[in-house]
Amino acid sequence: MRIFAFTPMLGALFASALLTFSEPARAASAASDFASPEALMEWAATYREHPAPYRLPEAVHAMQRFGLLGDTEKRGFCTGFIAGVLGTNPKDGPGLVAGMFPMPGKEQAVIIKAIAYSGRPDWEDVLIRYRSKMPLREPMIADYLNGKEPLLMQADLDQDTELIYTLWGYYAATGQYQPVMRIIDALRWAKAKDEPGFSWSKLTAGWTRDPKGVDKATIGGTAKWTLASYGERNRNLIALYRSELPRQPKEIAAPLRDVIEAAELFKSEDVREDQLTAIQEAQKQQVVEANGMSKLETAGSIGIATGCVAATALGQAQVTVPCVIGGALYSGAVKLLH
């Protein structure tokens, strides 16, 4: 695939064209590029080495076309990646956003979040500029403009795993370590290797059980698994982990030490299996406490995703591209019998 060098003049010409093209013309232009997920992921994987922000609108249309904006993991990563490109291209941002339309109403949420998460000082102005193109999303736009919805670096980590992948997407586009630091902070909810089993002590709220206990265990497990998995592919991350280890409290340092060891020895799969077991145990304990020892059966999706999209963009596109289409959550069932 040919990668064009980006120059300020080319960027200005492209931004001008985006603002003057008709909507159908932009859609047709977007459809002509990134003909496969492989092409899209190759561009993302090499973006920092060969920045081509003028291709972002085409990439966003391709993400929608390949269904990447409808899955939690993939949508989160794509949102963060788009936000990172917008945030590191202050002059071209408004023109890049213009080229992302038309976009179906459901997927417009990705554009709104990407603008708000970009870290641009003018993100509110950019969002206001394009709100007329997203009338069905006016309530969501208003929530961000009114401060009811948090920005990326302020959002609570205990919401869901999508935020973890959004942070990875921002890192993939920018190389900035702040998003990774936030992911490390989620290790407080992960099981350390030397712990005998799942412990509710990580998930207590005062003297009561935390109603988000299982969610936090899932988020902590996802953080630990992705930190190890992506550290295998990007060895610079291991240096960051090591530099942060002495600064972290015990509840973060223990799982972070596991991450470093697994990444260095290419044993991230062991981390995934260990965290999956911990989450299943958390589910089991929560159900037992809620229902006593009555006979019941419950099944659920264990939200440690494959991480394939972020893994692809963090350095091994040729190996992990197939999971862009086929990647799914690891599912598990908890069966309690008495």
Side-chain angles (χ1 to χ4, degrees), residues 115-116 120-129 144-147:
I115 294 172
R120 298 173 58 94
D122 65 343
W123 72 266
E124 293 170 302
D125 294 335
V126 176
L127 192 54
I128 290 171
R129 179 173 178 176
Y144 277 103
L145 293 176
N146 295 333

Side-chain angles (χ1 to χ4, degrees), residues 212-285:
K212 291 186 176 181
V214 174
D215 291 338
K216 287 182 177 179
T218 303
I219 292 165
T222 300
K224 188 174 181 180
W225 149 243
T226 54
L227 286 165
S229 179
Y230 306 157
E232 286 182 346
R233 296 167 172 84
N234 185 337
R235 311 303 277 185
N236 290 333
L237 286 172
I238 299 178
L240 172 66
Y241 304 161
R242 285 197 170 280
S243 69
E244 285 301 313
L245 187 60
R247 303 187 181 98
Q248 299 300 324
K250 181 179 179 180
E251 66 269 22
I252 294 177
L256 182 57
R257 194 173 292 109
D258 297 342
V259 166
I260 294 170
E261 178 182 345
E264 288 182 333
L265 299 177
F266 296 94
K267 291 186 176 181
S268 64
E269 183 62 16
D270 292 347
V271 173
R272 185 192 67 81
E273 293 177 358
D274 186 49
Q275 294 306 300
L276 184 58
T277 299
I279 296 168
Q280 290 173 327
E281 182 65 21
Q283 282 189 324
K284 184 185 298 184
Q285 289 191 28

Side-chain angles (χ1 to χ4, degrees), residues 37-256:
E38 289 84 356
L40 177 61
M41 286 296 101
E42 181 184 350
W43 177 75
T46 59
Y47 178 81
R48 294 210 307 272
E49 290 74 23
H50 306 283
Y54 65 89
R55 301 198 71 190
L56 182 63
E58 303 164 14
V60 172
H61 285 288
M63 291 170 185
Q64 191 272 330
R65 192 166 66 251
F66 297 135
L68 304 186
L69 305 184
D71 171 88
T72 297
E73 173 206 343
K74 299 167 188 175
R75 179 177 62 242
F77 176 82
C78 291
T79 300
F81 189 89
I82 297 166
V85 175
L86 292 177
T88 52
N89 289 276
K91 293 183 179 180
D92 303 318
L96 295 176
V97 174
M100 298 176 192
F101 298 99
M103 181 64 64
K106 185 174 183 179
E107 286 82 1
Q108 286 172 2
V110 170
I111 298 177
I112 295 168
K113 284 187 174 182
I115 294 172
Y117 287 174
S118 66
R120 298 173 58 94
D122 65 343
W123 72 266
E124 293 170 302
D125 294 335
V126 176
L127 192 54
I128 290 171
R129 179 173 178 176
Y130 293 104
R131 72 192 305 176
S132 64
K133 292 183 176 293
M134 301 179 283
L136 298 178
R137 286 295 187 170
E138 181 58 33
M140 183 180 184
I141 293 172
D143 283 346
Y144 277 103
L145 293 176
N146 295 333
K148 292 183 179 179
E149 287 290 339
L151 304 184
L152 180 59
M153 299 305 168
Q154 288 78 47
D156 291 336
L157 289 169
D158 63 358
Q159 297 304 306
D160 55 45
T161 57
E162 183 171 346
L163 185 61
I164 297 294
Y165 290 106
T166 304
L167 290 164
W168 277 121
Y170 200 96
Y171 167 76
T174 66
Q176 297 174 9
Y177 283 153
Q178 186 182 9
V180 184
M181 299 291 293
R182 294 218 68 207
I183 297 169
I184 289 175
D185 196 51
L187 289 176
R188 65 182 67 250
W189 302 312
K191 174 185 173 294
K193 185 173 64 174
D194 58 359
E195 289 184 73
F198 173 78
S199 172
W200 277 108
S201 63
K202 287 180 175 285
L203 308 173
T204 53
W207 293 101
T208 61
R209 297 294 189 219
D210 189 339
K212 291 186 176 181
V214 174
D215 291 338
K216 287 182 177 179
T218 303
I219 292 165
T222 300
K224 188 174 181 180
W225 149 243
T226 54
L227 286 165
S229 179
Y230 306 157
E232 286 182 346
R233 296 167 172 84
N234 185 337
R235 311 303 277 185
N236 290 333
L237 286 172
I238 299 178
L240 172 66
Y241 304 161
R242 285 197 170 280
S243 69
E244 285 301 313
L245 187 60
R247 303 187 181 98
Q248 299 300 324
K250 181 179 179 180
E251 66 269 22
I252 294 177
L256 182 57

